[in-house]
Amino acid sequence: MPVPQKGHTYPPLKPELPRGPLKSTSEYALEDVQTVLDTLCTDTSSGLYASNAMQRQGTYGRNVLESAEDESLIVKFVKSIVTNSMVMLLFGSAGVSVLVGNWDDAFSITLAILIVSTVGFVQEYRSEKSLEALTSLVPNFCHVVRDGESSKMLADHLVPGDIVKFATGDRIPADVRIVAANHLEMDESALTGESEPLAKTHERMPAIGAELTFSERRNIGFMGTLVRNGHGVGVVVRTGSGTEFGKIHAMMQDIEVPRTPLQKDMDKLGQQLSVASFAVIGVIFLIGLLQGKGWLEMFTIGVSLAVAAIPEGLPIVVTVTLALGVFKMARRKAICRKLPSVETLGAVSVICADKTGTLTMNRMEVEYLYTAADGLSQ
């Protein structure tokens, strides 16, 4: 804060943090503009001071959606092996082959495991890196008022109380309470699925229930939504994981990814082969003992037959086939993050969606027209 010179006065210092805990966007929508500004200890003319912003960022964190910690390459590689039932079955057969001295079988099985695991892991790693590159191509900048001046900065550094300006074509960088709006309309399809833009206002909303729905919060700009028309000014009320979009993102992180039909079939086949292998070993072992042969000799014979019954080439064929499918999708500018998703996508015949614009080109056209006369004629 500069030292005031003679004949000039500066605004009083703002408190470092807002008064009390942050509220939900539904609560802020019920309050008038001045009350929200007073609660967040800011104003539209000067915004926050840089020192205030740094203090608030230390308290509320950066304006980013937190994801699970990225695992190391070694952990990912080991997981790709452990979670594959067929590969684990091959590992077991390779270990048994070593115990009985069949080094050739052990080497061939281990080589098959390395081929399967490496091809699948490398392809999925490349896909993840491609997706990360796409997300970093367009950094999310925004126009912020700080220290009385408007500047362009990364949205990652926004904090509650910041004053942001937005116009047609801008993405809302955080949940904001609109304090000024001029013919402002926002596309909230990324959050609600509604393709039609929603008119926004700075007026407080009437209390009509326990909590306002997204469409009823007409004075709130949600993170990730697009300004379709007009321009406005808003004060940041929620950032990062505290935004409405961040809450949905957090719930998505807790969802366990289901196994694909192909993975389920491979798991089932692995279980069946395991049962069949143990059955073969048991039957041959008993027959040999009844014939008076040594138990070690019969155990070696039974294990050799069981290992031979396991198709070492099956995982290789499946992995290479899926990898070729991923390459073909990449040539059509489609990125598949996981290899088995290619098979799942190929098995889809019908897609059911309750919102238009989410999975389409956001354009509605009449394809067929049925009238009462057509129905009667049929």
Side-chain angles (χ1 to χ4, degrees):
M1 183 73 179
V3 178
Q5 298 179 1
K6 187 176 182 180
H8 183 80
T9 58
Y10 289 94
L13 286 174
K14 299 181 179 68
E16 293 180 341
L17 297 175
R19 297 187 179 95
L22 297 178
K23 304 175 184 179
S24 66
T25 56
S26 179
E27 292 175 300
Y28 283 120
L30 300 175
E31 297 178 351
D32 59 73
V33 171
Q34 193 57 49
T35 301
V36 176
L37 294 174
D38 292 341
T39 303
L40 296 174
C41 302
T42 185
D43 61 84
T44 56
S45 59
S46 62
L48 295 176
Y49 299 134
S51 58
N52 296 140
M54 292 180 62
Q55 176 70 19
R56 297 188 185 196
Q57 190 171 91
T59 302
Y60 301 111
R62 298 179 62 198
N63 181 33
V64 294
L65 300 180
E66 298 180 358
S67 301
E69 294 185 3
D70 197 16
E71 298 173 333
S72 64
L73 294 179
I74 297 177
V75 174
K76 289 183 179 180
F77 186 74
V78 172
K79 272 191 173 182
S80 66
I81 295 176
V82 174
T83 56
N84 192 323
S85 60
M86 280 296 298
V87 171
M88 293 304 297
L89 181 60
L90 292 175
F91 253 128
S93 62
V96 173
S97 298
V98 171
L99 292 177
V100 298
N102 294 333
W103 294 100
D104 292 340
D105 290 343
F107 176 77
S108 61
I109 293 172
T110 304
L111 182 61
I113 293 173
L114 290 177
I115 293 175
V116 171
S117 303
T118 303
V119 171
F121 176 76
V122 169
Q123 183 56 48
E124 292 180 0
Y125 178 76
R126 290 176 58 187
S127 298
E128 289 184 0
K129 288 301 179 183
S130 299
L131 290 173
E132 291 178 4
L134 286 176
T135 56
S136 61
L137 282 178
V138 185
N140 188 15
F141 285 98
C142 59
H143 297 277
V144 185
V145 177
R146 281 190 183 175
D147 293 324
E149 297 181 356
S150 179
S151 61
K152 189 176 181 180
M153 59 177 280
L154 281 172
D156 298 0
H157 304 301
L158 286 179
V159 295
D162 265 325
I163 303 298
V164 295
K165 298 180 179 180
F166 36 83
T168 303
D170 291 341
R171 289 275 179 188
I172 303 300
D175 284 358
V176 301
R177 169 63 164 88
I178 299 171
V179 299
N182 186 8
H183 302 290
L184 187 61
E185 294 182 352
M186 293 186 185
D187 179 4
E188 298 181 347
S189 58
L191 183 65
T192 64
E194 295 292 344
S195 58
E196 292 296 325
L198 186 65
K200 294 292 184 176
T201 178
H202 68 280
E203 300 291 340
R204 59 175 295 185
M205 297 291 103
I208 57 177
E211 184 175 357
L212 300 178
T213 63
F214 290 139
S215 60
E216 292 170 345
R217 303 175 203 177
R218 303 176 72 89
N219 54 9
I220 299 293
F222 297 104
M223 180 183 188
T225 57
L226 177 67
V227 180
R228 292 284 295 272
N229 186 42
H231 56 87
V233 180
V235 55
V236 176
V237 295
R238 282 285 186 168
T239 58
S241 300
T243 62
E244 300 297 339
F245 205 89
K247 295 176 183 177
I248 297 176
H249 181 266
M251 289 189 294
M252 294 289 290
Q253 296 294 315
D254 297 334
I255 297 177
E256 183 179 354
V257 179
R259 297 184 69 80
T260 66
L262 179 61
Q263 289 175 322
K264 293 179 180 178
D265 291 340
M266 294 293 288
D267 292 342
K268 184 177 180 180
L269 179 60
Q271 294 174 358
Q272 293 174 344
L273 289 176
S274 300
V275 173
S277 299
F278 283 114
V280 168
I281 294 175
V283 171
I284 294 179
F285 186 78
L286 290 176
I287 292 176
L289 291 180
L290 292 175
Q291 292 177 350
K293 296 183 179 181
W295 66 271
L296 182 59
E297 178 185 2
M298 295 312 304
F299 178 76
T300 303
I301 294 174
V303 168
S304 300
L305 291 175
V307 170
I310 299 175
E312 294 88 352
L314 179 60
I316 299 178
V317 173
V318 172
T319 303
V320 172
T321 302
L322 293 177
L324 291 176
V326 171
F327 291 146
K328 290 182 178 180
M329 295 289 287
R331 286 200 295 267
R332 299 191 179 190
K333 304 186 184 304
I335 298 177
C336 292
R337 188 170 185 176
K338 300 293 183 180
L339 286 182
S341 61
V342 178
E343 181 268 342
T344 306
L345 183 61
V348 172
S349 57
V350 177
I351 298 177
C352 300
D354 64 340
K355 297 292 183 183
T356 183
T358 305
L359 301 175
T360 67
M361 297 177 66
N362 202 20
R363 183 177 69 243
M364 296 182 66
E365 295 180 351
V366 177
E367 293 287 344
Y368 301 100
L369 181 62
Y370 295 95
T371 64
D374 295 333
L376 293 175
S377 64
Q378 295 177 357

